[in-house]
């Protein structure tokens, strides 16, 4: 097989085409998106191809027809007119800590545009953008295309700081005013980012901005679909399978479990994380590439701010208004969790118009728990991934829950806790919920499916863990004994719902010591 080159970290359409990198043709969707629409907004998670989409639009409107030869758009576009393009990537403004810093950065960004010409009368970013649009239109006689990538980058890191957010938001408002005020001079405007700020607070008078983020016909515009993987990238699966000495079908299933599972509308195809998938094909190994840079700090801050129950994220039934809210109107971290890719649509009930949201795949489950373990329990996640992980997983796989609990006891007794967490830890350790969080996160980090506070007919089960051949039903106690915990499982029939699955059902009563924060005793009984 010929060597294949993957555009890892390459976001320029021209470079990908000219240098013969693997490219998944979505130009038909791109054409439909811009056809008969003037102002378009799209929200997608980080590293999902938004910048490549922006670059593709740039090349299309710049009339670079030679780059699109052999692609689907050639059957759709007849005119191939050339327009001047203002293409702004606001990731350069990420991490600015004041409105003045942001203003200077926007001025610098505008000065780097090919269409820029200095005018001393233009003092603000909005004035410069207005002048640029008007001058280009006057000099060329053509309407202007404006593309704004990562529009929300300047604001994400200050979501927790109301004063700074408000002053920086005013800068962004002034910057975006020309996009509506000069509507007659604009051919097309495309704005993309992770989150959604309402039109009123950011885009000012752009009241005709079309948000296509949840439209079924555009759900696959970013990311790689199941169909695209098994057709256009079938060769890549075969190459990776051969390298790893497994069958193509086995490799496909591994990729699917790790990177698939995203849906951006109720009718969306299965969509894979494109960044991780391409990294896996490039390196010929499966890993959690999306989390190499860690969990975004803005997300963790908002989860802490709203006291998010991370154990509820495995399955949530909500109306669209709950997860599709503008960022500044959030009353929980749910919109950010969805928009940033930590939750995705798994089902839709057309009668109740409710969505089921859940974690997309193994990569997200492992990655988000690794990022959240220190925040919610004080445990350094690096120690979970050390020798304990292999021993604990091996014991679970063998069905030896007693050995697994002994490994957990030894492990938790030796844990170093995150600096500054001691006071919070001492308070948390007096509540059973702390141990539910800890065990849930440890199981999740090892990619073992676990649920807490599972409803049943006579109460709520503290923790249920699903293994390929066994279901474990845990009841945890601080006050009382392991015998009391096991008795509660029996008295309230916590284990009965799982007998119908055809798997072995194991009941585990556990007593934790609030002083040492380790499982002190446990009793195991098969249902």
């Amino acid at each position: 097989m010929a060597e294949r080159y993957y555009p890892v970290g390459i976001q320029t359409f021209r470079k990908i085409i000219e240098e013969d990198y693997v490219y998944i043709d979505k130009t038909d969707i791109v054409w439909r998106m811009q056809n008969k629409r003037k102002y378009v907004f799209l929200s997608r998670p980080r590293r999902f191809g938004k910048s490549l989409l922006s670059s593709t639009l740039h090349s299309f409107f710049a009339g670079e027809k030679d780059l699109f030869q052999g692609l689907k758009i050639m059957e759709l576009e007849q005119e191939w007119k050339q327009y001047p393009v203002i293409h702004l990537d606001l990731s350069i403004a990420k991490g600015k800590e004041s409105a003045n810093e942001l203003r200077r950065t926007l001025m610098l960004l505008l000065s780097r545009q090919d269409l820029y010409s200095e005018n001393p009368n233009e003092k603000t970013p909005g004035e410069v953008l207005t002048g640029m649009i008007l001058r280009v239109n006057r000099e060329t006689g053509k309407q202007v295309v404006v593309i704004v990538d990562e529009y929300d980058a300047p604001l994400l890191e200050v979501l927790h700081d109301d004063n700074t957010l408000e002053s920086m938001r005013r800068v962004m408002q002034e910057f975006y005013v020309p996009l509506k005020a000069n509507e007659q001079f604009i051919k097309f405007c495309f704005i993309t980012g992770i989150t959604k700020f309402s039109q009123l607070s950011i885009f000012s008078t752009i009241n005709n901005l079309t948000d296509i983020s949840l439209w079924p016909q555009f759900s696959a515009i970013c990311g790689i679909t199941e169909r695209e993987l098994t057709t256009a990238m079938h060769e890549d699966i075969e190459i990776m399978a051969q390298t790893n000495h497994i069958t193509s079908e086995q490799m496909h299933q591994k990729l699917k479990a790790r990177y698939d599972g995203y849906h951006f509308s109720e009718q969306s195809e299965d969509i894979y994380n494109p960044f991780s998938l391409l990294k896996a094909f490039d390196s010929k190994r499966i890993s959690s590439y999306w989390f190499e840079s860690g969990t975004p700090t803005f997300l963790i801050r908002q989860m802490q701010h709203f006291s998010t129950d991370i154990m509820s994220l495995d399955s949530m039934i909500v109306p669209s208004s709950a997860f599709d809210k503008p960022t500044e109107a959030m009353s929980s971290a749910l919109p950010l969790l969805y928009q940033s890719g930590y939750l995705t649509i798994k089902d839709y009930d057309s009668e109740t118009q409710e969505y089921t949201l859940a974690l997309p795949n193994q990569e997200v489950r492992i990655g988000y728990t690794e990022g959240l373990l220190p925040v919610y329990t004080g445990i350094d996640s690096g120690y979970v991934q050390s020798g304990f992980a292999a021993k604990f997983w091996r014991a679970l796989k063998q069905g030896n829950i007693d050995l697994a609990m002994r490994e957990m006891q030894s492990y938790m007794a030796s844990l170093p806790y995150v600096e500054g967490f001691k006071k919070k830890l001492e308070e948390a350790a007096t509540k059973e919920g702390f141990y539910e969080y800890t065990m849930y996160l440890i199981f999740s980090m090892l990619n073992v499916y676990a649920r807490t506070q599972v409803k049943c007919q006579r109460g709520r089960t503290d923790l249920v863990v699903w293994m390929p051949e066994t279901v474990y039903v845990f009841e945890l106690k601080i006050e009382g004994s392991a015998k009391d915990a096991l008795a509660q499982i029996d008295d309230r029939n916590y284990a009965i719902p799982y007998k119908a699955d055809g798997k072995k059902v194991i009941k585990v009563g556990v007593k934790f010591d609030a002083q040492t924060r380790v499982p002190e005793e446990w009793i195991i009984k098969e249902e």
Side-chain angles (χ1 to χ4, degrees):
M1 295 181 183
E3 187 170 0
R4 304 262 283 177
Y5 300 96
Y6 305 96
V8 176
I10 300 173
Q11 302 170 342
T12 306
F13 178 71
R14 172 176 285 278
K15 184 177 179 66
I16 289 173
I17 298 300
E18 290 185 338
E19 299 188 15
D20 199 28
Y21 285 93
V22 171
Y23 176 70
I24 303 301
D25 186 1
K26 295 179 181 288
T27 55
D28 56 330
I29 311 177
V30 173
W31 187 88
R32 290 198 301 271
M33 180 188 71
Q34 61 80 40
N35 188 41
K36 307 299 183 185
R37 296 181 182 88
K38 190 152 191 170
Y39 293 90
V40 174
F41 172 78
L42 176 72
S43 167
R44 285 293 183 269
R46 64 191 177 101
R47 294 178 171 177
F48 244 83
K50 299 186 299 295
S51 295
L52 175 57
L53 174 58
S54 299
S55 177
T56 306
L57 280 166
H58 187 151
S59 290
F60 170 70
F61 281 109
E64 297 172 348
K65 184 177 179 180
D66 58 312
L67 298 178
F68 293 88
Q69 295 301 320
L71 299 180
K72 296 173 184 176
I73 200 170
M74 296 300 294
E75 299 176 3
L76 299 168
E77 180 60 32
Q78 304 299 320
E79 297 182 337
W80 288 99
K81 290 183 179 179
Q82 183 178 4
Y83 296 92
V85 179
I86 298 173
H87 188 166
L88 305 169
D89 180 357
L90 265 60
S91 63
I92 191 177
K94 188 181 298 182
K96 302 306 174 186
E97 296 181 353
S98 70
N100 285 335
E101 271 190 78
L102 175 58
R103 195 176 290 109
R104 285 194 298 270
T105 302
L106 292 175
M107 294 290 277
L108 175 63
L109 180 62
L110 289 164
S111 72
R112 293 177 177 176
Q113 293 292 302
D114 293 337
L115 304 176
Y116 176 79
S117 59
E118 190 169 353
N119 185 325
N121 295 321
E122 296 164 2
K123 306 291 187 183
T124 69
E127 290 174 357
V128 173
L129 182 56
T130 298
M132 192 182 301
I133 291 171
L134 296 179
R135 280 191 296 275
V136 170
N137 175 260
R138 185 169 58 246
E139 292 168 7
T140 65
K142 295 180 178 181
Q143 290 179 300
V144 178
V145 171
V146 181
I147 299 170
V148 184
D149 190 15
E150 295 204 45
Y151 88 99
D152 52 351
L155 303 176
L156 290 178
E157 296 299 332
V158 296
L159 284 176
H160 65 292
D161 186 337
D162 290 340
N163 292 330
T164 304
L165 176 62
E166 181 57 33
S167 62
M168 294 177 78
R169 195 158 55 192
R170 286 196 294 268
V171 174
M172 297 307 298
Q173 280 179 321
E174 192 272 340
F175 179 59
Y176 287 122
V177 163
L179 299 182
K180 175 62 177 179
N182 297 290
E183 185 265 343
Q184 70 268 39
F185 305 117
I186 293 177
K187 166 65 178 175
F188 181 73
C189 176
F190 179 67
I191 299 171
T192 187
I194 296 173
T195 57
K196 291 178 59 177
F197 286 88
S198 73
Q199 296 171 20
L200 177 64
S201 70
I202 294 296
F203 301 119
S204 189
T205 56
I206 307 181
N207 52 14
N208 59 344
L209 189 67
T210 302
D211 181 2
I212 64 168
S213 303
L214 281 172
W215 287 25
Q217 61 266 48
F218 300 116
S219 58
I221 198 168
C222 291
I224 295 171
T225 69
E226 178 72 25
R227 178 173 44 84
E228 289 165 341
L229 178 67
T230 56
T231 54
M233 307 192 82
H234 179 69
E235 182 181 344
D236 304 291
I237 298 175
E238 289 186 341
I239 293 170
M240 191 169 176
Q242 290 175 6
T243 304
N244 288 271
H245 309 292
I246 59 177
T247 67
S248 294
E249 179 57 33
Q250 287 172 325
M251 179 53 67
H252 179 199
Q253 291 307 312
K254 286 180 177 291
L255 294 170
K256 186 175 184 64
R258 193 73 160 205
Y259 307 127
D260 188 21
Y262 290 93
H263 304 90
F264 297 108
S265 75
E266 64 271 19
Q267 299 172 28
S268 173
E269 298 178 69
D270 277 6
I271 295 176
Y272 288 72
N273 183 316
F275 179 81
S276 294
L277 191 60
L278 291 173
K279 285 274 283 187
F281 284 142
D282 196 35
S283 65
K284 305 296 185 289
R285 58 189 296 269
I286 291 176
S287 186
S288 296
Y289 299 108
W290 200 52
F291 288 89
E292 285 178 342
S293 58
T295 305
T297 55
F298 73 84
L299 182 62
I300 289 180
R301 285 170 180 161
Q302 291 303 301
M303 292 179 73
Q304 290 178 294
H305 175 73
F306 290 113
S307 302
T308 303
D309 179 6
I310 58 175
M311 298 184 294
S312 69
L313 304 184
D314 277 310
S315 184
M316 307 179 70
I317 299 176
V318 296
S320 62
S321 58
F323 70 91
D324 196 39
K325 281 187 176 180
T327 306
E328 68 273 42
M330 292 188 307
S331 56
S332 75
L334 182 58
L336 270 182
L337 285 164
Y338 170 77
Q339 292 161 15
S340 56
Y342 286 73
L343 291 176
T344 195
I345 297 169
K346 289 296 185 181
D347 197 10
Y348 177 70
D349 188 324
S350 58
E351 291 186 6
T352 63
Q353 296 186 327
E354 290 180 318
Y355 293 81
T356 298
L357 303 184
L359 302 171
N361 51 43
Q362 289 179 0
E363 181 180 35
V364 173
R365 179 179 299 280
I366 294 169
Y368 102 101
T369 50
E370 183 175 349
L372 295 178
L373 196 65
V375 176
Y376 279 80
T377 68
I379 297 173
D380 187 333
S381 57
Y383 281 82
V384 177
Q385 297 288 27
S386 62
F388 161 73
K391 294 176 184 176
F392 185 73
W393 168 254
R394 194 177 300 115
L396 281 177
K397 196 171 182 181
Q398 292 170 351
N400 192 338
I401 188 64
D402 181 64
L403 176 59
M405 290 303 299
R406 280 188 277 119
E407 294 289 358
M408 180 177 284
Q409 182 184 54
S410 175
Y411 161 73
M412 293 183 74
S414 63
L415 275 177
Y417 284 85
V418 175
E419 191 68 30
F421 202 86
K422 185 177 179 182
K423 185 175 181 181
K424 182 179 178 181
L425 181 63
E426 289 173 351
E427 179 183 345
T430 63
K431 302 172 184 176
E432 287 179 5
F434 169 77
Y435 301 100
E436 291 177 20
Y437 265 75
T438 301
M439 291 187 71
Y440 166 81
L441 286 168
I442 289 173
F443 279 118
S444 294
M445 243 184 114
L446 300 175
N447 195 35
V448 176
Y449 183 57
R451 294 279 305 279
T452 63
Q453 290 296 304
V454 182
K455 291 181 182 178
C456 59
Q457 197 169 24
R458 299 187 60 190
R460 292 174 180 266
T461 312
D462 282 345
L463 180 69
V464 181
V465 176
W466 283 265
M467 291 294 288
E469 298 176 359
T470 309
V471 177
Y472 295 101
V473 179
F474 286 85
E475 183 64 28
L476 313 179
K477 294 290 185 186
I478 302 175
E479 304 293 335
S481 65
K483 184 178 179 180
D484 295 332
L486 190 66
Q488 184 170 326
I489 297 175
D490 288 332
D491 293 344
R492 300 188 183 180
N493 299 325
Y494 287 164
I496 287 178
Y498 309 103
K499 294 178 70 175
D501 293 347
K503 295 183 177 182
K504 185 188 297 184
V505 179
I506 303 294
K507 299 174 289 188
V508 188
V510 185
K511 164 71 164 66
F512 277 89
D513 186 314
Q515 299 299 315
T516 61
R517 300 179 291 278
V518 301
E520 185 177 26
E521 60 171 351
W522 53 89
I523 300 176
I524 301 163
K525 181 180 176 183
E526 184 171 344
E527 175 64 22

